[in-house]
Amino acid sequence: MSVESLFPLLEPLLPSVQKPIQYVGGELNSTVKDWDEATVRWALMYPDAYEVGLPNQGVQILYEILNELPETLAERTYAVWPDLEALMREHGVPQFTVDAHRPVRAFDVLGVSFSTELGYTNLLTALDLAGIPLVAADRGEDDPIVLAGGHAAFNPEPIADFLDAAVLGDGEQISIAISEVVREWKAEGRPGGRDELLMRLASTGGVYVPKFYDVEYHPDGRIKRVAPNRSGVPWRVQKHTVMDLDEWPYPKKPLVPLAETVHERFSVEIFRGCTRGCRFCQAGMITRPVRERSITTIGDMVEVGLKESGFNEVGLLSLSSADHSEIAEVAKGLADRYEGTNTGLSLPSTRVDAFNIDLANEFSRNGRRSGLTFAPEGGSERMRKVINKMVTEEDLIRTVTTAYSQGWRQVKLYFMCGLPTETDEDVLGIADLAKKVIKAGREATGSRDIRCTVSIGGFVPKPHTPFQWAAQCDHETVDNRLRKLRDALRSDKEYGKAIGYRYHDGQPSIVEGLLSRGDRRVGAVIRAVWEAGGRFDGWSEHFSFDRWMSGAERAFDGHPVDVAWYTTRERDEVEVLPWDHLDAGLDREWLWQDWQDAVTETEVEDCRWTPCYDCGVCPTMGTEIQIGPTGRKLLPLTVV
Amino acid sequence: MVQRLRVRYAKRGRLRFTSHRDISRAIERAVRRAGIPVGFSAGFTPHPKISYAGAAPTGVASEAEYLEIGVVTACEPDRLRAELDSSLPTGLDVLDVVEASGGSLADRLQGSVWDVRLPGADPAEARDAAERFMAAERVEVERLTKKGPRRFDAREAVIMLTAEDPDGTAARTAREGTEETADRDPGPPCAILRMVVRHVTPAVRPDDVLTGLRLVAAFAPPSPPTVTRLAQGPLDARTGATADPLDLDRDTRGGEPGPAVRHVGDHK
């Protein structure tokens, strides 16, 4: 069965839409393989706009790895904006891939990467435009397997009805394994149809097939149990961990878009995992253990990636980049190598200490010292103990003062509001901290030309973290505290003008909280919101809190639960959580203990330097921390 | 800066949907990949020395876009043409490179030749509308700009405007020429407008002329037009033709002949 390109149908619609270039494909390093020569065909979706989705590392890595397999092809698809969606409906153009503009429904697997839960409504739009039934149970033999991955897939229950399967953790090896299962099943003539294929995937123990599990509820709404409804399906589905990042040096050929995107740079992951133990951080919990990429692989990837892409900026990614055991050598080696080439280097996600200023100085050797970002997260010493962000006020002020005196003019400080046990005083502590930072900076530099920006996000409790049991703070309280903080900053005559303040209102966090810790009953809410026009919920201009609340009211009618039940209700130790059958490797008792430690303001050390095995990941997953130093050096390149 | 090079490039096919900003990013990256020794401006955020003259709007294809690159070591124009072309995505194609002799390239770009394809439109109606437009003294049109709606005359800048059939003959009636194309699929009717427009401020674009056609003759094509800039350069106001703006640079280097350029009509 050959598949025609939809481009001739799409092309006449493009002059009427915003930024048409995002829909035409043809990016440098993109791949179009022969349809008939492939036996396993993946459509990879990032369920947000192209400008956000294209730079996504996960999709780019899987796209490259799958296309390297001889019998597999992979193409990409993104959420279309409402202007094109309307035209596609009017002219009967289905959801397409940007590579060869093939219809998404013609593929074997639709793999969707969820970095955030706010992409759920966009999944429904894509399925509907593709002509794939929204509910997995309604799909037939000609429909693709709809497979979720990404961090949100660690609790896929709210979208369980819409998914055929989900995978947890690193995608490199499991996507190849899934391709092999699909290839075999097709080669055998698709025995047993769709269900047999799903069964083969589920029986590997590493693919979660929601419909093979039944959820029972207590009359009060709590979950009674989640159990397989057939034999051969594991009680708990395990996450996947790539142990040697040097064996998987992707992306090798980064996609270079013609359209403008949110990250215009070549990014290299320098390690995965984080063991700092910040209790609010889902990424840090579910990606354990720490696995470093070696300095030499990093150097090679940067060299190849820049040459292949023509980008003029390199980002060294990880959850806490300065924690790489050889980061100083990496920074100096790259700064030496690219000196005089107008190549920028950036190091997102750094912790608060003076060492980072040395790194930042190295990275800005030839450029401008504009802004540095630190994330103390909590405004008071007490709050930082609760969240296990081990930064003292003294550390922070010393670090920031050092930055100012070395020529940095602007410091950005990230905080959260609505953390467990938080009081108004904890949030007002942010204002005190910001003022002290400016005061110390002015004293150290003798200049009033320094600024500090306070940026605040709302805290959302996430599955597989110690705060998975916590009550989320209601949005009225969050908004009230943010207002008090704003007044405290603005009213200060001495320092107020030197302090910038950025915040978001609390309502979207409640919806994110509902979707993060929701169970299968939340699927009806997502559908109701989507039917009422919900799209692009991560974009404030498209998000509607009222639409979510009225959708929830309709969907929960007759159930003993509501939005508050999912968000602002604290859970007790024995309650079955919707994701308990999904194994991130974390020991539940350890998480509970860490939650109790949080409440008593007890800190926990990073296990990177003091191995402990307490969190359970290494023993249950058969993994180990992989860190240097390797002692190797980056060689200077001969300029071609 | 030891040398300035003037580049003519095309934007073709689906890459016509690139905006000017998209193109400048693509070109800067291609310059890096090709290892072209581009110069950089001084200052906190150095920018590569690449300047663009008169970019075609998003959605409009072009066979004649121009830019200028300043380099810090001398480059052989033909080699730079090949290297830059192979580093750019297909559809952004480098056609011609010459060493700049001086003067301003932008000043030489006095007018453009446009090809506007109107699928589904009747060629005879198009011809009639074109004649009425050219017969008018002024045709006031309104366009939504970033600063809000703006009214201006679209007529005076148009030096020439004709309507043709797809096979290239000037349209007389809707069905004329069917004999010649009998062995091909005649397909739906299609009118082709050919226009030469002087570069003025505010710019008169082909869609402004189409707006004008609607106003003077109620001519409204049923589907969006496909617009291609065929050429831009110094205007011969008498003949209504444009000359190759890079010829002046070539002349000072000994009058080399211009390179063979793909026929303007056969873009993908």
Side-chain angles (χ1 to χ4, degrees), chain A residues 400-568:
Chain A
V400 175
T401 311
T402 310
Y404 287 135
S405 49
Q406 297 195 7
W408 298 87
R409 300 266 71 98
Q410 161 102 358
V411 168
K412 197 190 250 183
L413 299 175
Y414 275 160
F415 295 94
M416 280 187 291
C417 182
L419 289 160
T421 77
E422 181 185 275
T423 63
D424 289 4
E425 283 64 43
D426 292 311
V427 176
L428 288 169
I430 295 170
D432 292 336
L433 202 53
K435 289 177 205 168
K436 284 178 187 164
V437 158
I438 294 292
K439 181 168 184 283
R442 285 178 181 173
E443 281 166 10
T445 59
S447 160
R448 292 176 69 87
D449 180 28
I450 53 167
R451 279 187 63 77
C452 159
T453 300
V454 168
S455 188
I456 307 199
F459 166 68
V460 177
K462 295 278 178 169
H464 306 282
T465 69
F467 291 159
Q468 64 183 355
W469 290 281
Q472 184 174 352
C473 191
D474 62 84
H475 62 90
E476 291 90 349
T477 305
V478 167
D479 289 342
N480 198 26
R481 284 184 185 150
L482 291 175
R483 222 172 2 251
K484 284 184 180 167
L485 174 59
R486 184 196 61 196
D487 294 345
L489 287 170
R490 295 241 172 105
S491 66
D492 193 282
K493 290 204 174 56
E494 180 61 22
Y495 303 111
K497 289 221 162 61
I499 302 169
Y501 181 47
R502 290 187 182 177
Y503 67 100
H504 301 286
D505 61 28
Q507 289 178 338
S509 297
I510 289 294
V511 172
E512 196 185 332
L514 169 71
L515 299 174
S516 295
R517 291 195 294 171
D519 54 36
R520 292 187 182 185
R521 291 167 292 189
V522 173
V525 182
I526 298 167
R527 182 156 185 172
V529 168
W530 177 78
E531 282 170 352
R535 307 285 189 276
F536 289 93
D537 288 299
W539 297 72
S540 52
E541 62 268 45
H542 291 278
F543 176 82
S544 159
F545 186 68
D546 292 342
R547 184 156 54 210
W548 278 97
M549 292 308 109
S550 61
E553 212 163 282
R554 292 196 298 282
F556 289 145
D557 187 32
H559 290 281
V561 295
D562 57 18
V563 172
W565 189 87
Y566 284 102
T567 55
T568 55

Side-chain angles (χ1 to χ4, degrees), chain A residues 105-159:
Chain A
R105 185 163 181 259
F107 288 76
D108 297 305
V109 184
L110 170 59
V112 191
S113 178
F114 289 103
S115 304
T116 147
E117 297 80 5
L118 296 173
Y120 290 163
T121 48
N122 285 353
L123 168 72
L124 297 191
T125 309
L127 290 174
D128 189 53
L129 283 174
I132 300 169
L134 296 186
V135 176
D138 297 337
R139 287 176 201 146
E141 299 302 319
D142 290 335
D143 291 306
I145 299 295
V146 180
L147 172 74
H151 287 180
F154 277 79
N155 176 27
E157 292 301 89
I159 48 171

Side-chain angles (χ1 to χ4, degrees), chain B residues 110-116 133-134 154-162 193-199 204 206 209 230-237 239-243:
Chain B
Q110 297 168 348
S112 290
V113 183
W114 301 96
D115 173 288
V116 181
F133 181 89
M134 291 308 282
R155 168 62 193 88
E156 201 200 338
V158 179
I159 295 167
M160 190 199 86
L161 174 63
T162 57
L193 298 175
R194 186 68 75 103
M195 54 184 95
V196 179
V197 183
R198 184 181 292 118
H199 295 171
V204 174
V209 176
L230 300 179
Q232 55 175 331
L235 267 180
D236 184 327
T239 63
T242 56

Side-chain angles (χ1 to χ4, degrees), chain B residues 15-142:
Chain B
L15 265 69
R16 73 179 186 276
F17 293 114
T18 46
S19 71
H20 174 55
R21 282 159 57 84
D22 299 335
I23 288 178
S24 67
R25 270 193 314 274
I27 296 216
E28 282 175 30
R29 285 170 189 158
V31 161
R32 295 179 76 90
R33 278 197 303 278
I36 292 165
V38 64
F40 279 86
S41 63
F44 273 148
T45 43
H47 287 288
K49 293 265 191 190
I50 304 174
S51 54
Y52 301 85
T58 306
V60 169
S62 177
E63 292 293 315
E65 298 295 289
Y66 292 90
L67 60 84
E68 201 167 276
I69 302 182
V71 290
V72 293
T73 30
C75 295
E76 209 278 297
D78 271 348
R79 200 171 145 204
L80 186 138
R81 193 205 64 75
E83 283 171 352
L84 189 57
D85 186 52
S86 68
S87 295
L88 279 167
T90 308
L92 283 182
D93 302 325
V94 183
L95 305 178
D96 192 7
V97 178
V98 298
E99 187 175 347
S101 59
S104 156
L105 177 61
D107 285 352
R108 292 183 204 161
L109 304 180
Q110 297 168 348
S112 290
V113 183
W114 301 96
D115 173 288
V116 181
R117 274 155 208 261
L118 304 166
D122 182 341
E125 282 178 26
R127 179 171 162 271
D128 176 56
E131 279 172 3
R132 286 210 217 174
F133 181 89
M134 291 308 282
E137 198 125 298
R138 277 178 73 79
V139 181
E140 286 251 320
V141 299
E142 191 173 278

Side-chain angles (χ1 to χ4, degrees), chain A residues 7 11-12 21 28 101 256-260 264 307-312 341-343 368, chain B residues 14-18 21-22 25-26 28-29 32-33 40 44-46 58 87 89 92 224:
Chain A
F7 196 71
E11 195 172 17
I21 187 65
L28 191 77
H101 296 92
V256 186
L258 286 154
E260 188 168 14
E264 299 276 329
K307 198 181 264 174
E308 291 286 346
S309 66
F311 282 128
N312 62 2
T341 64
N342 290 300
T343 304
R368 176 168 49 162
Chain B
R14 55 185 71 168
L15 265 69
R16 73 179 186 276
F17 293 114
T18 46
R21 282 159 57 84
D22 299 335
R25 270 193 314 274
E28 282 175 30
R29 285 170 189 158
R32 295 179 76 90
R33 278 197 303 278
F40 279 86
F44 273 148
T45 43
T58 306
S87 295
L92 283 182

